[in-house]
Amino acid sequence: MRIKRLPEGVINKIAAGEVIDRPSGVLKELIENSLDAKADRVQIKIEKGGKKLIEVRDNGLGIHPDDILETVKRHSTSKINDIDDLYSINSYGFRGEALSSISSVSKFSIISRQKDFPLGKELFIEGGVFRYLSDTGAPTGTVVRVRDLFFNVPARERFLKSERTELKHITDVFLRYAVCRPDVGFVLQIDDRVLYNLLPSTMEERLKNIFPKAENFMYFEGENSAGKTYGYVSSDIKAKGFIYVNGRPVRNSLLSRIIRSKVGENFFAVFIELPPYFVDHNIHPAKIDVRFRKEKPVYDLVKSALDNISKPKLHLSVFQPKVRYNAEFKILGQIENTFLVVYYDGDVYFIDQHVASERINYELLLRKYRSGNIPAEKSNLKLDLTTEQVEKLKELKENLEKLGVVIRKEKNQFYIKQIPSFSEGKDIKKVIYKILNSEYPEIEIESFLAELACDISIEAGDILSDEEAKSLLKVWIETDNPNLCPHGRPIYYKIPVENIKKKVGRK
């Protein structure tokens, strides 16, 4: 077959699949347009999980009447002018694809008026086909209505999930922007019910309005040569966390993993500020994935900032400033030889003895690793290394030896001559290959130390005497992060005695 150019309608539908794959993708693009238009109020209406209607109304600057038709043309945008602008992006949108893509797979209307014009313009596009453009009365700002999404692409419509699932994704997108822009009022109406009505506020007020069950949001901040970070963590709620880079919601799997290792399943909102040229948002048309010019300084920045809040006082909420152990725990007992039941300063704690022991051993191993004092024993395992792995081995030689791993070359063959003493049962070759193949070997080393700590810790089912329990608790509370094990699991659960009194009717 001869090569031929696809029809414009097909091109637009393919582009739509890259920019939007479900109603929440439409909502994301429309919210970003409203925020780029300097709106301080954004009202959203959703019907039937977004399949029937997605409406976004804002009070932003509006669109010039002569530009209204340009909004639905591919690669038409007011936000960048040349290739260099891609590396200094200050707006949410910049590719000029969103409205063109959305209008090609829906019944699409846009009404907009700028304050200097007595009338607005209304444009209607049906499945990528122009229907009409007319004058209309309208307040300053823009209203976009997307009806019957994917009505002309039935194959894609069949891939949509249940209404409940699509609403979950829609709410997630809404919250991502509502959290990072507390200066903007947001309304979310699902069918006939207003789910959120958020007035402009401070960041802490916005978080408390969204998550009313959370009593405390702990603030953190940090700075290094890469940039700045700040944010909030709450142990009162288990929820999906949000990451923002230069004000934009982003996704980065390794960054999420680092944050979860510090805060567990607790809610977090992490804001990172970097020079624009340091960040590449242009990996995918949806602009959610992000890549950094130098990644390690960014990860170190976030890790260091979160470490500063991971040092609590035991009898307060998680992430309070740490104080030295200065009181006696009252050991009440042991449940299923797994949980220590402890009374301390008005609260009853249920402490997982294995996880507490794991935290102690992990920090001990981490200190030994950093000082090069990991105990080791002889080995003679053969390693088969690629050229790239040999080069990486040269870079990581010092790190590996601090870990207790010594690798030598003998007659053009590499051998592991020394391994950590307590790595029995571990596939040490697999561990070394993983470290050598990783873009972030330090994180893999810390993960290995966490596995070793787990292996040498007190087990669930071990019976502890009162003295053994007290000794464990005294060392545990002095660790850098007595809230979470190195894998991110919570170490304890507490119940205020006052809550128990209320439950049984005692004043």
Side-chain angles (χ1 to χ4, degrees):
M1 292 181 65
R2 300 291 301 276
I3 296 172
K4 59 185 178 181
R5 178 177 171 81
L6 290 171
E8 193 66 26
V10 176
I11 293 173
N12 282 339
K13 288 180 176 65
I14 293 171
E18 294 180 327
V19 177
I20 53 169
D21 59 352
R22 62 194 333 151
S24 59
V26 173
L27 180 61
K28 169 188 175 296
E29 299 295 340
L30 298 185
I31 290 176
E32 289 184 346
N33 283 348
S34 293
L35 296 176
D36 282 339
K38 312 300 181 187
D40 61 14
R41 185 165 177 81
V42 179
Q43 298 171 269
I44 297 157
K45 184 184 292 185
I46 304 294
E47 293 181 8
K48 301 298 179 184
K51 300 173 188 178
K52 182 178 179 182
L53 173 68
I54 303 164
E55 177 185 294
V56 177
R57 179 186 301 266
D58 70 54
N59 64 347
L61 299 175
I63 302 167
H64 192 284
D66 294 341
D67 291 342
I68 196 89
L69 267 174
E70 295 298 318
T71 62
V72 293
K73 294 181 181 179
R74 289 190 71 209
H75 308 308
S76 296
T77 180
S78 62
K79 297 162 188 176
I80 64 172
N81 295 306
D82 54 44
I83 189 67
D84 291 337
D85 291 343
L86 286 174
Y87 303 99
S88 57
I89 294 167
N90 294 310
S91 61
Y92 289 102
F94 56 87
R95 297 175 64 99
E97 291 181 304
L99 296 188
S100 171
S101 298
I102 295 166
S103 65
S104 71
V105 292
S106 68
K107 297 172 183 177
F108 174 91
S109 71
I110 182 169
I111 300 171
S112 191
R113 180 175 79 84
Q114 290 189 335
K115 66 177 182 179
D116 294 334
F117 293 87
L119 291 173
K121 290 282 187 180
E122 180 176 6
L123 171 66
F124 182 67
I125 305 285
E126 186 175 18
V129 179
F130 173 84
R131 293 306 185 194
Y132 64 80
L133 174 65
S134 61
D135 291 333
T136 186
T140 302
T142 302
V143 182
V144 178
R145 294 187 181 97
V146 178
R147 297 184 184 275
D148 301 332
L149 184 64
F150 299 137
F151 80 98
N152 59 341
V153 193
R156 179 160 299 149
E157 186 179 24
R158 285 195 293 270
F159 275 94
L160 294 179
K161 303 300 181 184
S162 67
E163 186 175 319
R164 181 178 179 181
T165 298
E166 296 302 336
L167 285 176
K168 183 178 178 182
H169 288 282
I170 283 171
T171 304
D172 179 64
V173 166
F174 174 84
L175 292 179
R176 285 182 184 277
Y177 291 92
V179 165
C180 73
R181 293 298 303 271
D183 57 314
V184 176
F186 284 92
V187 178
L188 176 61
Q189 180 178 325
I190 304 293
D191 296 319
D192 296 323
R193 178 183 169 219
V194 174
L195 198 61
Y196 291 96
N197 186 359
L198 304 171
L199 300 177
S201 64
T202 65
M203 178 65 75
E204 285 196 50
E205 289 171 338
R206 174 60 56 87
L207 290 172
K208 288 177 180 176
N209 285 333
I210 293 174
F211 304 105
K213 292 183 180 179
E215 296 181 7
N216 294 297
F217 285 95
M218 302 309 301
Y219 178 77
F220 66 89
E221 61 184 359
E223 185 172 357
N224 70 5
S225 59
K228 299 178 180 179
T229 187
Y230 65 93
Y232 295 83
V233 176
S234 176
S235 62
D236 298 328
I237 47 175
K238 311 301 179 189
K240 182 180 289 188
F242 300 135
I243 302 173
Y244 303 92
V245 175
N246 294 344
R248 179 192 296 277
V250 301
R251 184 171 56 202
N252 181 286
S253 58
L254 187 59
L255 197 51
S256 296
R257 181 177 160 190
I258 289 169
I259 295 169
R260 283 294 178 207
S261 74
K262 300 295 181 183
V263 307
E265 296 304 311
N266 297 322
F267 168 81
F268 64 82
V270 174
F271 298 84
I272 305 170
E273 296 180 359
L274 304 170
Y277 66 84
F278 214 85
V279 188
D280 184 2
H281 294 285
N282 200 32
I283 299 171
H284 186 273
K287 307 182 295 294
I288 186 72
D289 294 296
V290 68
R291 190 163 49 199
F292 305 112
R293 185 180 175 196
K294 293 182 180 179
E295 295 178 307
K296 189 174 185 302
V298 177
Y299 301 142
D300 288 345
L301 168 67
V302 174
K303 284 175 67 177
S304 177
L306 288 170
D307 280 340
N308 289 335
I309 60 167
S310 298
K311 300 178 180 180
K313 191 174 181 180
L314 178 64
H315 61 282
L316 296 179
S317 297
V318 176
F319 305 125
Q320 294 291 337
K322 178 183 175 184
V323 295
R324 293 193 58 79
Y325 173 84
N326 58 7
E328 287 295 321
F329 296 96
K330 185 174 181 180
I331 309 290
L332 303 180
Q334 194 180 21
I335 299 177
E336 296 183 347
N337 298 329
T338 298
F339 299 99
L340 299 176
V341 185
V342 175
Y343 174 79
Y344 183 87
D345 196 31
D347 294 307
V348 177
Y349 289 80
F350 300 85
I351 301 167
D352 188 319
Q353 63 193 38
H354 168 72
V355 182
S357 177
E358 192 177 356
R359 167 51 61 181
I360 293 168
N361 287 321
Y362 172 70
E363 293 192 10
L364 178 63
L365 288 174
L366 200 57
R367 286 195 295 270
K368 286 182 176 292
Y369 162 68
R370 288 170 178 166
S371 62
N373 291 320
I374 294 279
E377 59 188 42
K378 290 182 180 180
S379 174
N380 199 38
L381 295 170
K382 187 171 75 170
L383 274 180
D384 297 314
L385 301 180
T386 64
T387 303
E388 291 81 5
Q389 288 170 335
V390 171
E391 289 303 310
K392 198 69 173 287
L393 180 61
K394 294 175 184 177
E395 297 175 22
L396 297 175
K397 179 176 180 291
E398 183 180 348
N399 301 68
L400 289 169
E401 290 184 355
K402 285 163 61 178
L403 187 62
V405 175
V406 174
I407 300 173
R408 296 281 185 260
K409 186 177 182 181
E410 298 176 357
K411 297 180 181 180
N412 294 321
Q413 180 63 56
F414 288 92
Y415 292 90
I416 308 170
K417 307 301 290 186
Q418 187 176 286
I419 60 175
S421 295
F422 22 74
S423 57
E424 184 179 353
K426 296 293 180 190
D427 187 343
I428 198 70
K429 290 171 64 173
K430 184 177 180 181
V431 171
I432 292 171
Y433 288 138
K434 198 171 182 180
I435 293 170
L436 293 178
N437 292 335
S438 176
E439 292 184 58
Y440 314 102
E442 194 70 20
I443 291 174
E444 297 300 338
I445 288 172
E446 290 181 11
S447 296
F448 176 56
L449 292 174
E451 290 181 21
L452 293 182
C454 183
D455 291 343
I456 63 176
S457 294
I458 294 169
E459 295 289 347
D462 289 346
I463 300 174
L464 303 184
S465 68
D466 279 0
E467 286 306 313
E468 288 171 328
K470 284 182 180 179
S471 176
L472 173 71
L473 295 173
K474 187 169 183 177
V475 177
W476 160 64
I477 194 56
E478 291 296 334
T479 58
D480 289 334
N481 185 358
N483 300 294
L484 304 171
C485 84
H487 303 100
R489 286 174 52 205
I491 294 173
Y492 64 85
Y493 176 74
K494 73 173 183 178
I495 302 176
V497 173
E498 286 301 315
N499 288 4
I500 298 173
K501 291 179 179 178
K502 289 177 184 176
K503 291 293 183 183
V504 299
R506 180 176 289 278
K507 297 181 179 179

